[in-house]
Amino acid sequence: MNTAQTSPGTPEERDATDGSTFTSTGTAGSPVTAGAAEQEPQDRLVTTMHSLELPDGPLTYTATTGTVVLKEEPEGTEYGRGKAYAELFSVSYVATEQDPARPVLFAFNGGPGASTVWLHLGLFGPRRVDTADAGAPKAPPYRLLDNHETLLRHADLVMVDAMTTGYSRPAPGSKPDRHHGLAEDRDLIASFIVDWLTRNDRWTSPIHLAGESYGTTRASAVAARLMDRYYVAVDGVSLISPVLDFGTIRFDPANDRPYLHYLPTYAAIAHAHGKHEGRLLQDVVDEAEAFAEQEYPALLAAGLRLSPEQKQEAAARIGALIGVDPDWVARADLRIEHLAFLAELLRDQGLITGRIDGRFTAPIGAGNAPTMETDPSIDQLAPPYTATINQYLRTELGYSSDIVYEIMSGRVHPWSYKDFEGRSVEVASDLARLLRKSPHTRVYVAHGYHDAATPFHASEHVLAHLPIPQEDFAERIRVEYYEAGHMMYCHEPSRLAQSQHLAEFVGGIAPAPTTNDDAPAEATSEH
């Protein structure tokens, strides 16, 4: 049972962008009134005390919820803090038993435009969503459960929402688009982390970053920024469903890499839907990866030099691997785009397949639509997260606001990649530079076999080509695989396995020996 007690002085909140009236204790404890342009925004935080009953005894902790104001450093010879430019929202969980040696982990999701509700209530936090899984969608009323596997057992947690997600907003008078870009977002999150370490006297704690999806792009860039700009060496970087080089997953003209890297994921999704009856998933994936790495590149490179017979033979091979009609593969010139595949795989059953998690399905809208019209995995997973985060923040953490908690926001677009003009957007070079500079930094990588957003083979390829010593690749990068999708923790066996792997990685726990008898069902650490 998770119990909570709210501390005195819970602030009333307001929309940071619309100028409506509010009061807040701020950091100095003085009320602040919005609408007065000359007044600086104030921190708006509330602290609650909690106890989580675990099999080995209670875990007591405080949760600090709300927005903190970040200010620019003044230019020239001025001292002090400059103008406020951002109000970032976060929830910090800190164990009651203070220990400077206890790790602190900063987590964020990606998008761009996704709040951190997914990692917060899906995997890391002390409370978790009783969520849907493929074939078993949850109906209202949605509920939260105690998370007995929470990473809070081993590290303090800071769940951070990037700009224009969650309750994070620009400071009054500051425009949000100044933060909507890879470099700008990187610098903002790095500044928040430095600020949090200073406010909480945690500079000597081991520091971990964890990101999911574009959050892995962010985590790699932020970790490098912390080292390059502030000489802050992180102890670990957790990359969940990573994308480190966008050129490996973007289906741009004259770029054949995504077709190669997605093919093993297509095969895994086909297996999930009975297209490889009687075969083990691992055997199917191994066959698909071998084809993608050996024969497939030569077939695509041949182009018009392939004879009709050779093309039809290749189409038959690909069709058998990914569970679709070879003639459809041939008409696609052997190049299968992911949204087209997700519409085609189960078309004869009147279903589309999920992108975030290929195990999910939904009825098709137009029977001959060239691509999927919506993502059934997001459609079925998002409502429980949306309902529970809004209820949780208000009732258990004592924080409320009149503005919308942005679960997934398109308001961050266009997202700027101005530093990558004329080349692929990538942060693999950032991650490699960090590993070369910081000899104690380790990396945990989580792949979902059925993830059609960030395919595991693309990540494998990028990691294998990092410019780092080979022994570092073997000893400092831990890679795990799960029989689920992008948010593998919505699959209960994968959630349990992943929680254990993260406890080992962040908490410095020796990996538990596994045998055929005690290995987590439908999750694997080998590939």
Side-chain angles (χ1 to χ4, degrees), residues 52-87:
L52 175 62
E53 294 297 329
L54 298 174
D56 55 353
L59 171 63
T60 58
Y61 62 94
T62 61
T64 301
T65 306
T67 56
V68 295
V69 177
L70 296 181
K71 297 183 178 182
E72 298 179 283
E73 292 187 15
E75 297 181 357
T77 59
E78 295 182 44
Y79 293 97
R81 302 301 297 272
K83 182 180 178 182
Y85 67 95
E87 297 181 70

Side-chain angles (χ1 to χ4, degrees), residues 122 177 187 257 332 467 512:
D177 56 5
D187 295 350
R257 289 189 291 168

Side-chain angles (χ1 to χ4, degrees), residues 308-360:
E309 294 77 17
Q310 289 174 315
K311 185 173 183 178
Q312 198 59 46
E313 181 181 348
R317 180 73 190 282
I318 294 169
L321 277 172
I322 67 175
V324 298
D325 185 346
D327 290 340
W328 183 76
V329 176
R331 289 195 299 272
D333 197 27
L334 309 182
R335 292 167 171 82
I336 309 303
E337 194 277 334
H338 73 313
L339 299 182
F341 168 78
L342 298 172
E344 183 67 22
L345 179 64
L346 301 177
R347 189 185 299 275
D348 60 348
Q349 301 177 39
L351 299 172
I352 56 173
T353 309
R355 175 176 177 264
I356 290 294
D357 193 323
R359 299 173 304 127
F360 286 73

Side-chain angles (χ1 to χ4, degrees), residues 68 70 85 88 90 92 104-108 158-161 185-203 205-211 215 218-227 230 232-234 236-237:
V68 295
L70 296 181
Y85 67 95
L88 277 197
S90 66
S92 301
V104 56
L105 178 138
F106 298 86
F108 26 75
V158 185
M159 306 290 109
V160 189
D161 286 331
D185 171 80
R186 172 202 67 197
D187 295 350
L188 178 64
I189 299 299
S191 295
F192 171 87
I193 291 172
V194 169
D195 185 78
W196 192 95
L197 294 173
T198 299
R199 291 171 182 244
N200 292 276
D201 297 325
R202 296 298 294 273
W203 276 98
S205 298
I207 300 167
H208 283 257
L209 306 185
R218 175 182 290 129
S220 301
V222 169
R225 173 70 172 175
L226 288 171
M227 185 64 184
Y230 301 104
V232 174
V234 300
V237 182

